[in-house]
Amino acid sequence: MPETTSLPGQTHFVAPSSETPLQATGMVDTSAPPEGQWKEAWKVLRRNWLFWVSAILLLFILVVVCFPGLFTGVDPRQSMLSKSLQGPQSGHPFGFDKQGYDVYSRVVYGARASVVVGLLTTVIVTVIGLFTGAVAGFFGRWVDALVSRIADIFFAIPLLLAAIVGLSALNNVWPDRGYWGGVLAVVFALAAFGWPQVTRIARGAVLEIRGLEFVDASRAIGASKWRNLFSHIIPNSLAPVIVTATVSLGVYIVAEATLSFLGIGLPPSIVSWGNDIAAAQSQVRSGDNLHVLFAPAGALAVTVLSFMLLGDAVRDALDPKARK
Amino acid sequence: MWRYIARRLLQTIPVVLGSTLLIYAMVFLQPGDPIVALFGEKPVSEATRAQLMAQYNLDQPFIVQWLLFLKGALVGDFGIAYSGQPVSELIARALPVTFQLAVMALIFEAVLGVVAGFYAGLRRGKIFDSTMLVVSLIVIAVPIFVLGFMMQLVFGIQLQWVPATVGSNTSFTNMILPALVLGLVSFAYVLRLTRTSVIENLTADHVRTARAHGVPDGMVNRRHVLRNSMIPVVTFLGADLGALMAGAVVTEGIFNINGIGNLAYQAILRGENPTVVSVVTVMVIIYVVTSLLVDLLYAVLDPRIRYA
Amino acid sequence: MRTRRIMTITAGVSAAALLLSGCGGGGDDGGGSGGGDGDMIINARGLEPQNPLIPTSTNEVGGGRIVDLLYAGLVSYTSEGETEMEVADSIESEDNKTWTVKLKDGWTFSDGSAVTANSFVDAWNYGADPENAQLGAYFFYPIEGTTDDGTFEEGADGISGLNVEDDSTFTVTLKDPASDFPDRLGYSSYFPLPEAAFDDPEAFGEAPIGNGPYTLDGWDHDTEARLLANDDYDGNRDPQNDGVTFKFYTDPDAAYTDVQSGVLDVLDEVPTSAISTFTTDDQLQAFNDPGPISTNVTIPDSLEHFGDDEEGKLRRQAISHAIDRGEITSQIFDDTYSPATDFSSPVMPDYSDDIEGSDVLDFDPEKARDLWNQANQISDFDGTFEVSFNADGSGNAEWVEAVTNQLRENLQISAEPKPFATFGEYRELITNRSIGTAFRSGWQPDYPSVYNYLAAVFGTGAGSNDGDYSNPDFDAALVRAASSQDEDERKDALNEAQTILFEDLPAIPLWDRNSYGVAAQGIEGVEMNWQAQPTYHTITK
């Protein structure tokens, strides 16, 4: 927190900073707090065991994503149809799915597409949404109207329907796109219609922050609007955005599964948890061989859990108001 | 206030225009020939084809198709579906069903989400909070169609507490299970948003002040913490009604509900552009109206926000 | 007609659910007026008709099964696929080219008007008029005065090959001789229409008036269509119940659940999720018998390395030998499909089980490798063998993936499924010949004959010859079959035609879909006909 904010009401007595010698020090003051804030946050994070648990889990998942070959020697696309739906056995700890694929190997190799879809979509959505939301909430007036209306145009079209239509339109303009092309197409389709959600949350948070004293204070001492936006408004409105982002990360991974369930997500040549959960849905009804469902769904749940716990820990650390 | 509402209503015009144009562009870019699809795997003669293309304006340039659609939509005429029925009739049949489903889901997620989130926030780190964290995680991490099938299997088929499917009888009891399934994911959102806001507000100055003044804990929690925590939650809920109606595709399929989600999904599969665009337009209008209401609620909840 | 995906709704709808149905069969219950005592209404699974309920407008199963019960054509089919005269008294020809149709007396539409020669000729002319853009027009293509697509030339005022002699007689002149022409006339496009239909076809399509075993009592869109037994009907398909209500389910899982709980009586399909359990489910009755719907993978000969030459032939045979059909039908389909034994189906009346060359369908991975390597001597294959399919929740994804897995494994090549999100996209690429890969194909017969499987799909220039296959010897064998008056001679010609196909393999036969479904307990008389449809009029409870 800037020192000035600890003196509420003092802003009344301060002349416009351009007219006082305070201008020079004001510039330093406004940029310093965030740095202190992040340093402070790290101190808090270090003491949070949840942070370490989730960070280690995520690190592990990241290794699986980058080097799946370290964890299994079985080709996830090697089909042994005669062993279709058989349970765990030697060398195949999770058994086989309907196509006769090794479920364990599918879980290991499936991490990549699912995590990349979730992570990349969330990053794109959060960056666009945070920036647009902050600008809209902070500048208000016609800027708010313009940004909000553009966001509305995208947000008003339902995500799932938009993604279905968008993906098949992408098929037309971008056929034969291979592994990463297939993954990116899903990311683009989800991100194109997902960002306004973050915009709304960020705008709401900024509207709240804008009224707080320290913002008035830093404005009073002459910080430029943009500087104010980046050094005070955005960092201080991060908390709800991070919470939304960590939750929606899971939602995007699941959305990929739903798109696959509807037959339009990742092509079958791409091994992903989403495709495998979708393929396992026929087992749910019969209630048999649920291992083909629980393995990818469990991996997905653990991954989402890790991101959510990390998000919680970071939010607690970043938001001094919520700190114990 | 009235000037604000009037201005917002004016602003909805570009949103509706922009959204229909966007969806029209994407539909236009769709691969596939709807006329060919109409004939299945049988051949179609050129004369028949030309006849149908003209009938559905498919022979017009993209912008002209869009303008023709807008012209019709202004007077409630969304064109004719390939089945020969007016699209507006299809929507009129499907919309109330989905609306009922979405509203029930919204009430469910709002009530349960806020209550659970509020207590989880007040008792941060305790058993209840941790349990809710796990519940919200499961809901988010397991795809809705898996949860839907499982709940249908358990409550509809094994326990037989509710009918497993809805069909044409959309009574309240028939719709409870689908509404629960539909609202599950948003329930997790509401829960977490409420919890986060409550935790923030618990340490806010005005709350501490109130406590210092000896206001009883229960009243502080209700009057100050809960009310101030509602701002992000209400934003979310307002935006969610439209999302629920659109997200009903999967739920409506599982429980055999003839709603708008099913209508839209089938129309996409058939390349039935007039229906796709019309359904999306209706959803856009619903969204625009609900988000205006949300912004007005904002002002009620947060006295610091005033609209000129 | 072929397996159509256009109507597919949600995941789990299996391919055959979307097929157009023709007539229900079963004329074995004698005459007599319809309807029993009390209110025996059968609740059957239906799908919301996608088109007005005019016979030529309907080309999908949802409307097709209703239309079949509302109208009676010149002939009807038994559930085994034998043709019986219905409205026609006789259909005769000297040369298999000009046919004289004589009608029985006493047939009326449910509005009281008589069924005359004009009822048929006017209905067919309506269907073939390009201005009416009827989806079922294709079926008129054999008749003189129509294009290959079945519509008559613009400017003409009707099909020139049709001629009304008197109220109960008309003649049909064909472009080419076809000995099985009478067998085709049970298809819904050939149904008659009353005068009332032409005044306001739009209103008629919502409330049709027919001459069949049932009348339409009401159609609540997206909910149900209620059919009541027609007391005035005196044809081959005497209703054993008082009515059939088709309840529209977009999701087969929901329908299946309702059969389990007795809300729904008959479901002519089983959701993927119950496929491995339905035959042992004691909450319901299960049906699972060989059926007419064949599945193939068509390899167009425009595909590089698969041309009309020695290399192409070797590769096609290698692919056929590399697919373990039995393993896929048991593991992926849980025995609801049966490995193909020819290009048609065992339920056709003129089916043969010992056609020369059919051993190319046997699984033999070593021979497959050997043939593939021989082909590689001619020209090296280093690409990816792709199989395109429509992935709109139609249940194709699983078997296409299994097939490409086997090809990858057994031929040691790169092979991948290639999904298309919508049926429209998939069909367009096939129709304009730009798909550039092998693709899923299939056939459900329009009328019960092996000839239909062969001529409509593989005849040179035939309407559904999507692989552009052309072989003069094959065409000649078909002509011999079509013009033959002798049953054995006809069968020999058809077998010879199939032997040629087994050599050329324009498409790789994979399997036939069984006619399977479920009925609630206490339901009787459920019989699957040659079109994989329950014979609704025989069902009782």
Side-chain angles (χ1 to χ4, degrees), chain C residues 292-312:
Chain C
I293 304 156
S294 66
T295 308
N296 302 332
V297 167
T298 297
I299 310 176
D301 62 14
S302 54
L303 221 58
E304 204 188 347
H305 296 293
F306 289 90
D308 182 17
D309 52 20
E310 186 60 22
E311 185 200 357

Side-chain angles (χ1 to χ4, degrees), chain A:
Chain A
M1 292 283 115
E3 286 300 308
T4 46
T5 59
S6 62
L7 302 167
Q10 199 189 4
T11 50
H12 292 291
F13 308 110
V14 177
S17 58
S18 53
E19 299 170 17
T20 70
L22 272 176
Q23 190 181 12
T25 51
M27 302 305 280
V28 178
D29 276 347
T30 48
S31 59
E35 207 176 290
Q37 188 191 12
W38 290 104
K39 211 180 268 175
E40 183 79 356
W42 173 236
K43 259 190 224 159
V44 178
L45 264 187
R46 272 189 318 202
R47 294 195 299 266
N48 187 343
W49 65 272
L50 273 180
F51 166 75
W52 289 109
V53 170
S54 55
I56 289 168
L57 267 173
L58 285 176
L59 204 66
F60 174 71
I61 292 165
L62 215 61
V63 174
V64 175
V65 166
C66 296
F67 311 103
L70 291 177
F71 298 88
T72 175
V74 182
D75 178 353
R77 302 204 59 212
Q78 158 106 41
S79 158
M80 281 174 277
L81 197 52
S82 57
K83 298 194 170 185
S84 173
L85 291 176
Q86 285 185 13
Q89 50 197 267
S90 159
H92 305 281
F94 293 168
F96 296 87
D97 70 3
K98 185 147 189 174
Q99 292 283 356
Y101 298 132
D102 178 73
V103 174
Y104 171 71
S105 167
R106 302 280 294 183
V107 168
V108 169
Y109 277 89
R112 179 176 294 173
S114 299
V115 169
V116 169
V117 166
L119 210 54
L120 216 51
T121 310
T122 306
V123 167
I124 295 177
V125 158
T126 305
V127 168
I128 299 177
L130 184 59
F131 180 73
T132 50
V135 165
F138 181 67
F139 289 102
R141 297 175 178 276
W142 68 269
V143 180
D144 185 14
L146 182 71
V147 172
S148 296
R149 257 18 85 201
I150 293 175
D152 281 349
I153 287 176
F154 281 84
F155 195 58
I157 305 179
L159 178 66
L160 198 55
L161 290 181
I164 295 172
V165 180
L167 261 177
S168 52
L170 265 180
N171 277 341
N172 209 18
V173 293
W174 187 19
D176 300 321
R177 36 184 194 247
Y179 184 91
W180 290 108
V183 170
L184 282 180
V186 174
V187 169
F188 290 157
L190 290 174
F193 296 91
W195 62 270
Q197 168 108 28
V198 183
T199 304
R200 291 179 70 92
I201 301 284
R203 176 177 171 275
V206 167
L207 278 180
E208 223 177 324
I209 298 266
R210 199 172 60 161
L212 296 183
E213 308 86 20
F214 72 91
V215 178
D216 294 338
S218 89
R219 196 183 300 145
I221 59 175
S224 85
K225 280 195 164 185
W226 285 98
R227 176 173 294 272
N228 209 351
L229 178 66
F230 281 104
S231 36
H232 295 298
I233 302 288
I234 290 186
N236 280 292
S237 50
L238 267 182
V241 172
I242 286 179
V243 176
T244 311
T246 49
V247 176
S248 61
L249 195 137
V251 171
Y252 289 126
I253 295 182
V254 172
E256 178 263 303
T258 307
L259 287 174
S260 299
F261 172 76
L262 296 173
I264 191 155
L266 297 170
S269 57
I270 296 181
V271 180
S272 81
W273 294 337
N275 269 337
D276 284 0
I277 294 173
Q281 59 101 4
S282 57
Q283 303 306 316
V284 176
R285 183 53 173 280
S286 61
D288 299 331
N289 306 306
L290 288 178
H291 64 274
V292 299
L293 171 71
F294 289 148
L300 192 141
V302 167
T303 307
V304 176
L305 173 66
S306 308
F307 278 109
M308 282 171 80
L309 292 179
L310 186 77
D312 261 10
V314 171
R315 184 188 54 78
D316 284 358
L318 266 182
D319 187 350
K321 285 179 293 166
R323 207 176 290 157
K324 277 177 194 165

